[in-house]
Amino acid sequence: MQGQMQAQPLLISTLLTHAERHHGSQEVVSRRVEGDIHRTTYAELASRSRQLAKALAALGVQTGTRVGTIAWNGYRHLELYYAVSGSGAVLHTLNPRLHADQVVWIADHAQDHVLCFDKTFLPLVEAVASRLATVKHFVLMADREHMPTQTAIPNLLCYEDLVSSQNDAYTWPQFDESSASSLCYTSGTTGHPKGVLYSHRSTVLHTFASALPDALNLSARDVVLPVVPMFHVNAWGLPYSACMVGAKLVLPGPGLDGASLYELFEAEGVTVSAGVPTVWQGLLGHVQSKGLRFSTMTRTIIGGSACPPAMLDTFEDTYGVQVIHAWGMTELSPIGTVGILKGHQQALPKADQRAIQSKQGRGVYGIDMKIVDAEGAELPWDGKVSGELMVRGHWVVNQYLKGDTSPLVDGWFPTGDVATIDADGFMQITDRAKDVIKSGGEWIGSIDLENIAMAHPAVAMAACIAAKHAKWDERPLLVVMKKPGAEVSKEELLAFYDGKIAKWWTPDDVVFVDSMPLGATGKMLKHRLRDLYQDHLQAQPACAPGTPVSA
Amino acid sequence: MQGQMQAQPLLISTLLTHAERHHGSQEVVSRRVEGDIHRTTYAELASRSRQLAKALAALGVQTGTRVGTIAWNGYRHLELYYAVSGSGAVLHTLNPRLHADQVVWIADHAQDHVLCFDKTFLPLVEAVASRLATVKHFVLMADREHMPTQTAIPNLLCYEDLVSSQNDAYTWPQFDESSASSLCYTSGTTGHPKGVLYSHRSTVLHTFASALPDALNLSARDVVLPVVPMFHVNAWGLPYSACMVGAKLVLPGPGLDGASLYELFEAEGVTVSAGVPTVWQGLLGHVQSKGLRFSTMTRTIIGGSACPPAMLDTFEDTYGVQVIHAWGMTELSPIGTVGILKGHQQALPKADQRAIQSKQGRGVYGIDMKIVDAEGAELPWDGKVSGELMVRGHWVVNQYLKGDTSPLVDGWFPTGDVATIDADGFMQITDRAKDVIKSGGEWIGSIDLENIAMAHPAVAMAACIAAKHAKWDERPLLVVMKKPGAEVSKEELLAFYDGKIAKWWTPDDVVFVDSMPLGATGKMLKHRLRDLYQDHLQAQPACAPGTPVSA
């Protein structure tokens, strides 16, 4: 017996149509590559997206055609989000921080037919254009005035010319909601990148879940500034959720330094932002050094990697900005868990609340999760036992693009994270499966050790890696980048662990570095550190401070 | 090209599974028919729902089988919500306030196989049992101790015996998300009731949309008390949305008087409630007469019929409770619009904000709406022009149960409401299409006239109906029920309109009544008043106060 309600597909175009009809005068503000601030509205954005959809069709873009972008967060990129997916083609956002060879490999693997890019990335595209075998059209996201007079790219098209070549008389097509809408490649640390192919259905359901009060809590009263790039897992879905709820969008373009961000936060009345910890470090550094305050920002979503507790304290105690810790993956569209307190936790002492907020959060409706032992048996939710985190749900990957073997285990996606889950459902990542330090047969979680180091006033960034050890197989080695002008000795840092963890977890040694290797999405590349320092302890004296004592 | 994300059906059972796993210890508190307060948790509710699903299967309930309920808001009713729909059968909630003949007609039309009911309704069911041709099993929602010693119902089953006859080893089945989940009949004022058959998909999508910050704004920190009955459009979806977000649920059972509700609000720390204006009148009456305050309630959702502005002012100004005005219909699952201010409206003077809040609200994502003229042409969103409101969307009816002609017009459902929509998308119902008063070829909206009368301190309830008029075809006639002990004259009431509306809109006369005819869902039955008073003005002197002057 079938229900008798209206059957309509869940399509990305309906998010834009809703914003246009119900929030047509709401603003979308962008800091452009050109340097100025650009203002538009959802009504205008919708109209231009329809023009763009027609222009792309004229370039041969059809249902399923991949359209690549290499672009900052800005209104033109947003128009591409809707014009490409809305018309039934597939938006492929490329990460400009990747090596040129990787860009070529990914664009070729995706078989991009068109490549649209910001002027910032003209040198990159010029360098690779001749190697992009499938790309038939290159589009510079600029107006005629900003087109280069000379370029190595043949027949370089002007974005604004394309838009203005069409009127906006276009009706978004209706099609199967399981159709592919967009494509992101994971920045795998080993092997080739893997493509995750989202559908309209997975995207709209993710949008619903991500906007809920216990997730990103988005409304028409919000002014949202996604620092997280639109080339990185669809900026955590904010280009979609902002349209669903009619929030004002502020897109920072290339201005991701603390001063540029702060200026935009204040000028546009930003209420909520989202990004990785490294970005917030830059912002907080600017705000602290100038003695500034946030006058409208009420909360910030921190994900991508764990938020150091010290950063959480600074945001909340010094600046009154609520930190919403979230966890996700490219394979999860990306949102899996969000760290909002439950009702009964609101009465807890602040320190206990902070401890909960430091976890990665609880599962949003639509995501199932479990932790399993090495044999795949489910482990209890007691907040103590850790195991590999497995997830499944409407917006979890089923298969990678052109994948041959399923990444799933009994229908669950193995995240590669090692985590605990407590009785309230709060998940805490204790390590990446590959970053766990196995000392004398016992696991030591590197993240705890890093967080403690990060709480030291002289430490800017810290990584804890497994170094080879003759007796214990592996022992923790702390790699530290100091804050500019700050001083701290190895002995002081190791003593800083006293009383905070089991004695045998204390790192065996400290290596000071001038810079940390960061990946394309701002995450620390710990495998690079391992390559450099995994033999470090082999050359050490046998009884350095912190040598493990048997349990 | 298909996306490559996991394919899972949107099933109602997943809401309960989520609540069980992620909010297992969250409370569900019920005032029982037995008189006491009952406490359980989502974990226990889920376990008992599985037991119940097995027990129903043993009674022959299969995929698509209709299971009727006549019950208050309580945990057993909630278990039926999930056990019936979750197992693939169809939950049919009957309205106990209907006439016995209507109950028989509806249960027969729905072909209910099982009928579960609270002890309150034993006399009703005893009176109709022999006429319920399709019902094979009658289940009293009580434990053995509360079963009647004698009853006219053959083989009356005991709910708690059924539950305890099974263990909870049961896996919710997976099936097509478009399958029927539940059935509500519209309490049509004319003709036979019409059945709206919801699907799992329509219900889950409605649940997502209704929980968003700009809709009911539900979180795990909320304590939700649905006054709106679970036999009336699924209590506006709160039994589903509370599970989705892990909110504490407080179910008031038969105690819908002001004193009982207030006691529960305070004892259980209710943060948000939902119901029709008539219920709030009772609650406010109690609170005002006893000089009480609400210590935890922050907001209340008012729908079903328009919230009188005076009630809005009292809630917000006197009690600090935010009023969220919502509009919906059985055919819309029910939520269509919700009246939450937009960002730029937050800076408006309070009076302007109240005027916006008095409107029925703006469309939630997932609902398209438009207003049309008599020829079906779309009218502008200027807040002035009114036309018939048409809607479409994932949770809008496509066809009534066993319907032969489509209720849709070009794919849109005509609501029968006459409304304006302003530039911000706020919809305001000016009348039911059938309640509009056509005076000398011009429309007069009855709701405006009723709201003004309701603002008079002596008026408890007011209705404005079209009375036949020799010269103007129809003229407004005000029907008023005074507050207990209050006095007001016809002349004073008519003078109360001076300056508030166009002179020619002023009602021609006032009829005072001792009680108002209310329908099964607490709405005024204006057609009854029309039957009684439509000829009232024919017997009046020619020049009563308020006689229209030509424009």
Side-chain angles (χ1 to χ4, degrees), chain A residues 25-26 220-221, chain B residues 341-348 356 424 426:
Chain A
S25 60
Q26 182 63 283
R221 291 171 306 292
Chain B
L341 295 181
K342 286 185 168 183
H344 72 91
Q345 294 168 334
Q346 291 177 294
L348 292 175
I356 296 166
D424 280 310
F426 281 76

Side-chain angles (χ1 to χ4, degrees), chain A residues 1-12 14-15 17-18 21-26 63-66 90 176-181 195-199 201-202 204-205 207-209 211-214 217-222 243-245 330-333 340-344 346 362-370 378 381 391-403 408 411-413 423-425, chain B residues 1-12 14-15 17-18 21-26 63-66 90 176-181 195-199 201-202 204-205 207-209 211-214 217-222 243-245 330-333 340-344 346 362-370 378 381 391-403 408 411-413 423-425:
Chain A
M1 190 178 205
Q2 296 282 290
Q4 299 198 351
M5 307 307 280
Q6 296 184 7
Q8 300 186 343
L10 294 162
L11 296 180
I12 286 174
T14 64
L15 296 164
T17 307
H18 178 79
R21 278 180 76 83
H22 296 265
H23 304 276
S25 60
Q26 182 63 283
T63 302
T65 303
R66 268 76 72 205
V90 178
D176 178 359
E177 67 188 29
S178 296
S179 302
S181 62
V196 180
L197 192 62
Y198 308 111
S199 71
R201 175 183 167 101
S202 71
V204 173
L205 293 177
T207 305
F208 265 129
L212 288 176
D214 275 350
N217 190 21
L218 298 171
S219 80
R221 291 171 306 292
D222 274 314
C243 279
M244 176 179 273
V245 307
T330 302
E331 288 89 341
L332 272 75
S333 305
I340 308 266
L341 295 181
K342 286 184 166 183
H344 71 90
Q346 291 177 294
R362 49 192 169 87
V364 296
Y365 168 79
I367 289 284
D368 287 338
M369 61 183 187
K370 65 176 181 179
E378 187 165 359
W381 290 22
V391 296
R392 65 179 179 193
H394 303 287
W395 50 88
V396 176
V397 70
N398 186 57
Q399 174 61 284
Y400 293 106
L401 181 64
K402 302 181 189 173
L408 307 189
W412 294 77
F413 174 73
D424 281 309
Chain B
M1 189 178 203
Q2 295 281 293
Q4 299 199 351
M5 308 306 281
Q6 296 185 6
Q8 299 186 345
L10 294 163
L11 296 180
I12 286 174
T14 64
L15 296 164
T17 307
H18 178 79
R21 278 181 76 82
H22 297 265
H23 303 277
S25 60
Q26 182 62 285
T63 302
T65 303
R66 269 76 72 206
V90 177
D176 178 359
E177 68 188 28
S178 296
S179 302
S181 63
V196 180
L197 192 62
Y198 308 111
S199 71
R201 175 181 166 100
S202 72
V204 173
L205 293 178
T207 305
F208 264 130
L212 288 176
D214 275 349
N217 189 21
L218 298 172
S219 81
R221 290 169 307 292
D222 274 314
C243 279
M244 177 180 272
V245 307
T330 302
E331 288 88 342
L332 271 75
S333 307
I340 308 265
L341 295 181
K342 286 185 168 183
H344 72 91
Q346 291 177 294
R362 50 193 167 88
V364 297
Y365 168 79
I367 289 283
D368 287 339
M369 61 183 187
K370 65 176 180 179
E378 186 164 0
W381 290 23
V391 297
R392 65 179 178 191
H394 304 287
W395 50 88
V396 176
V397 71
N398 186 56
Q399 175 60 286
Y400 293 105
L401 181 64
K402 301 180 188 172
L408 306 190
W412 293 77
F413 175 73
D424 280 310

Side-chain angles (χ1 to χ4, degrees), chain B residues 44 65 72 179 202 206 260 263 279 282 304 327 390 437 459 475 486:
Chain B
E44 198 184 344
T65 303
W72 299 111
S179 302
S202 72
H206 177 268
S260 300
E263 184 189 299
V279 162
W327 169 84
M390 316 280 284
I437 301 159
V459 173
R475 285 295 302 157

